[in-house]
Amino acid sequence: MSHTQQLYINAACRIGNNQAWKDGQLFFEQAGVPGDEFMVGLYRKLNLQYPKWYKMDRLSKLGVLAAEIVLGMGVNLNCQPGEKAIVLANSHSSLDTDARFVSQMEEIPSPAVFVYTLPNIVSGEISIRHCFKGEQAFFVSSRPDMEFLYSYVRAIFADGRTRVCLMGWADILGEQFNATLYRVSADSDDSVHSMEFNTQNLYQYFYHEQGAVS
Amino acid sequence: MKAEQKTYVVANHVLSPMASGTAAHVDAMLLGETGVRFSHRQEYHGQGVCASLFSAEDWKELHTRFPGDWSPFELLLLGSLTEVLKQAPVDLADPRTLLLVASTKGNIGLLEPSTTDPEAVSSLSASASKVGRHFGYHAEPIVVSNACISGMTALLVAKRLMDSGLYDQAVVTGADCISPFIIAGFRSFQALSDEPCRPFDLNRKGINLGEAAASMVLAKLQVDGPGPAGTAGLVYLAAGSTSNDANHISGPSRTGEEMAQAIMAAMENAGLEPRDIGFIAAHGTATPYNDEMESKAFTQAALQNVPAFSLKAYFGHTLGAAGLLESAISVEALKRGLILASRGYEEHGVSMPVIIAKEHYQQPGMQHFLKTGSGFGGCNAALIFSKNN
């Protein structure tokens, strides 16, 4: 593989404002309810049947739901666990759970909460669910830096081992949440939704209300 | 033929309670020193903690050197970056320079139950930007927060982006502070040892935590033809890889298969065989499961006969800084042809017959070493550093 290899976004999803988009389609909506209730609604809509999900922290819950939309529902990636990479970023790290752990500290701190006080645990949960054993990295930036994420994902593919990469943004703090994930590979004919992997398309999908990947 | 462009380590620096400077640390280690000690501290509710912690005087000195409104995490970054940039005066305003900051928990010690705006007191990206501005950096620094492989991941990200042709040089820095938050968390896991830790030993009881900062300057040096004058003896980051266990979020793999996968990928990318590796600077946290997993991974990668050591009994587990710090110390050891003693190791305590160094000793002719690391979330990383003849 080279640094000039053509890569494609084969699938994308965006969860935020109590809506979940699958590629360009509104997949689920539950307006006017708290974020936690919306996520339970989406879990049911996805028919996930993954009881571990209820024990996760909110960032992992959000990320696992988003990953299910681009990796689950009958998708066959047709590659080895070590060939599947995951590169994620957010702005609030694990602060949502950090604040919860701090409030416990005066009493008996729980290891079940402490383990989630790291942003990359969501990558671990997605990796367990979808058997991703390849390259992985987690970044923190004030805003989505698609130029950087694009460059790094390209560099991972150029290393030669990666065939599929789940990449994007997974962020939550209180009632503010956004998960926008993209499934990237060198296959153009994998899906009718495939489009060129570039920063313009990444940004367009992230910010476009109607969904640009269609 | 295309001119050779390796990712050279042109400068590095370690700041810990033991010393300031990489060579100064190795000198102190050779004299039998360690930063790990048992102490009773008020902030840990009077409970004893065995760790490598900066003293009140150390913090006062950093505050004096860097006046202004800096958090302890930021002070550590400033302390290490200032020194590493004295060795290699890289222009951070140059768009061909990349600045990366690695940390597991950054400013988390500032978060209190009464904090109404957690982002305002503990944002990692805000701290990184503030430190970047201090040095005139041209953009927002890239922040890597990938549990205990943050430092190694940052080095690998820097190398890959430089290999892509986007940057000519990179400044990679990382730090973590130990706070009641961190102590309470590891204690809740019953992962802390109340005596100096003993990686790979039969009687190992867990982790010592540690505070530190470490920095490396990486640069693509234009070198025409083989064996040029001027680069002899220089160390470069040859290759690296990461992996995920996809097994458990807080416990390492029982088989070590995924760590072995990262090691073998790194060796393949570097074009090396097991016999080429001079030593392994292991993660070696001294928890029962981590050290056992690593011993299995080294064996699967056919590295069971390569001397290995853990530096945790000198520095404690410095979390997001660990990969950078231990890489820097190991680069210095490689330059000196030195295998470092795995402090705390007496009786073999892992199932595989890996070789753990009991004493410091000279091993002439070494050209490559392997650095490994693992963290919560099931993440693993392997880096290979090599020395020019």
Side-chain angles (χ1 to χ4, degrees):
Chain A
M1 305 252 174
S2 73
H3 287 286
T4 53
Q5 180 196 17
Q6 185 73 267
L7 297 171
Y8 299 90
I9 300 168
N10 299 127
C13 81
R14 189 180 57 239
I15 301 176
N17 298 324
N18 284 20
Q19 293 182 335
W21 291 76
K22 181 183 190 306
D23 299 314
Q25 304 295 318
L26 182 62
F27 174 78
F28 178 72
E29 184 172 26
Q30 198 173 359
V33 299
D36 289 341
E37 203 177 318
F38 164 79
M39 286 200 278
V40 171
L42 179 55
Y43 173 90
R44 292 195 178 125
K45 165 79 177 175
L46 284 162
N47 196 20
L48 205 53
Q49 299 184 332
Y50 193 53
K52 273 174 68 176
W53 183 83
Y54 287 99
K55 295 182 181 173
M56 296 176 191
D57 80 333
R58 302 173 76 230
L59 177 60
S60 291
K61 278 181 177 165
L62 176 67
V64 165
L65 291 175
E68 200 65 23
I69 295 175
V70 289
L71 297 172
M73 303 197 288
V75 171
N76 181 8
L77 296 179
N78 198 23
C79 62
Q80 297 299 311
E83 297 170 339
K84 295 188 271 188
I86 177 164
V87 175
L88 299 180
N90 74 13
S91 72
H92 293 107
S93 181
S94 53
L95 264 182
D96 192 82
T97 300
D98 295 347
R100 214 180 129 210
F101 186 74
V102 164
S103 69
Q104 285 192 342
M105 274 170 53
E106 293 302 314
E107 291 147 29
I108 300 167
S110 159
V113 176
F114 181 66
V115 69
Y116 286 102
T117 62
L118 295 165
N120 63 297
I121 300 298
V122 61
S123 311
E125 291 287 14
I126 293 170
S127 296
I128 291 169
R129 168 89 182 140
H130 298 282
C131 203
F132 271 49
K133 293 191 173 187
E135 286 289 338
Q136 56 97 66
F138 202 102
F139 304 97
V140 177
S141 58
S142 59
R143 285 176 297 280
D145 184 350
M146 295 302 182
E147 284 84 4
F148 165 72
L149 291 174
Y150 166 79
S151 301
Y152 190 58
V153 168
R154 283 213 72 96
I156 283 179
F157 275 94
D159 240 17
R161 228 161 259 102
T162 299
R163 292 185 56 201
V164 170
C165 183
L166 179 73
M167 58 90 65
W169 186 258
D171 190 61
I172 191 163
L173 184 63
E175 283 302 307
Q176 283 178 287
F177 59 94
N178 181 322
T180 304
L181 300 183
Y182 310 81
R183 176 158 56 81
V184 177
S185 81
D187 296 330
S188 61
D189 54 0
D190 164 85
S191 135
V192 291
H193 301 292
S194 288
M195 62 190 303
E196 197 181 323
F197 177 56
N198 59 37
T199 49
Q200 190 194 336
N201 285 338
L202 290 172
Y203 275 124
Q204 208 172 346
Y205 188 72
F206 190 93
Y207 289 112
H208 199 280
E209 286 301 318
Q210 303 308 315
V213 179
S214 57
Chain B
M1 195 180 126
K2 198 181 164 227
E4 178 192 29
Q5 283 222 319
K6 292 169 179 169
T7 310
Y8 286 100
V9 180
V10 294
N12 62 79
H13 181 265
V14 172
L15 176 64
S16 91
M18 211 192 319
S20 174
T22 311
H25 275 96
V26 174
D27 292 343
M29 291 161 69
L30 293 178
L31 291 171
E33 289 182 29
T34 170
V36 172
R37 46 190 47 85
F38 191 84
S39 66
H40 285 275
R41 290 207 179 192
Q42 204 182 351
E43 64 262 42
Y44 305 132
H45 303 282
Q47 284 183 298
V49 57
C50 190
S52 174
L53 304 171
F54 288 105
S55 67
E57 293 75 49
D58 292 334
W59 288 116
K60 203 176 153 193
E61 196 192 313
L62 278 168
H63 274 294
T64 310
R65 274 180 68 198
F66 303 103
D69 185 21
W70 299 104
S71 71
F73 165 62
E74 292 158 1
L75 283 173
L76 292 187
L77 294 176
L78 289 175
S80 183
L81 274 173
T82 302
E83 296 305 315
V84 87
L85 291 170
K86 276 184 200 165
Q87 292 172 46
V90 170
D91 180 8
L92 281 156
D94 179 351
R96 299 289 297 172
T97 305
L98 173 67
L99 176 61
L100 281 141
V101 177
S103 185
T104 299
K105 291 311 302 170
N107 297 305
I108 202 68
L110 302 178
L111 199 60
E112 289 175 7
S114 59
T115 306
T116 49
D117 185 357
E119 194 184 2
V121 298
S122 69
S123 165
L124 263 178
S125 54
S127 268
S129 292
K130 199 173 151 196
V131 169
R133 279 196 300 275
H134 179 78
F135 293 99
Y137 186 54
H138 61 83
E140 300 239 325
I142 301 298
V143 177
V144 180
S145 190
N146 208 124
C148 300
I149 65 163
S150 301
M152 295 180 70
T153 304
L155 287 168
L156 186 55
V157 171
K159 176 182 161 49
R160 283 176 168 155
L161 293 182
M162 289 164 77
D163 286 347
S164 303
L166 293 169
Y167 300 96
D168 298 324
Q169 55 270 324
V171 180
V172 186
T173 188
D176 262 301
C177 303
I178 302 304
S179 59
F181 183 106
I182 311 275
I183 299 273
F186 278 95
R187 198 165 261 157
S188 76
F189 265 100
Q190 301 186 309
L192 294 184
S193 170
D194 56 7
E195 52 190 63
C197 70
R198 311 182 71 167
F200 299 101
D201 189 83
L202 186 62
N203 298 310
R204 64 188 184 278
K205 291 177 180 165
I207 295 172
N208 300 148
L209 292 165
E211 296 180 311
S215 305
M216 268 195 195
V217 177
L218 304 174
K220 292 282 186 193
L221 300 181
Q222 196 70 39
V223 174
D224 299 313
T231 61
L234 271 189
V235 174
Y236 56 95
L237 176 51
S241 183
T242 64
S243 68
N244 196 291
D245 293 340
N247 173 56
H248 197 279
I249 51 169
S250 61
S253 153
R254 294 298 171 98
T255 63
E257 186 188 324
E258 296 77 18
M259 178 80 253
Q261 170 200 313
I263 294 170
M264 291 187 286
M267 293 203 326
E268 189 189 322
N269 283 3
L272 298 178
E273 299 290 327
R275 64 171 180 275
D276 299 322
I277 306 295
F279 63 82
I280 304 170
H283 191 47
T285 57
T287 64
Y289 291 129
N290 174 82
D291 297 4
E292 175 67 13
M293 180 280 284
E294 274 196 295
S295 80
K296 288 177 176 166
F298 298 159
T299 305
Q300 280 173 57
L303 292 166
Q304 67 275 16
N305 295 323
V306 176
F309 56 76
S310 160
L311 298 176
K312 298 293 191 290
Y314 301 94
F315 296 95
H317 188 346
T318 55
L319 307 176
L324 261 168
L325 181 154
E326 294 166 14
S327 292
I329 297 290
S330 302
V331 163
E332 180 68 16
L334 180 68
K335 283 182 178 171
R336 297 189 192 188
L338 190 62
I339 305 230
L340 294 164
S342 196
R343 194 182 172 98
Y345 173 77
E346 286 170 15
E347 207 175 333
H348 197 71
V350 286
S351 66
M352 294 294 155
V354 290
I355 299 173
I356 308 299
K358 277 190 175 170
E359 310 284 343
H360 304 299
Y361 63 94
Q362 289 290 325
Q363 183 65 56
M366 292 190 297
Q367 217 188 325
H368 315 275
F369 75 84
L370 167 71
K371 171 80 198 99
T372 56
S374 299
F376 277 169
C379 52
N380 306 293
L383 298 176
I384 288 173
F385 290 86
S386 301
K387 187 174 73 172
N388 271 355
N389 278 325

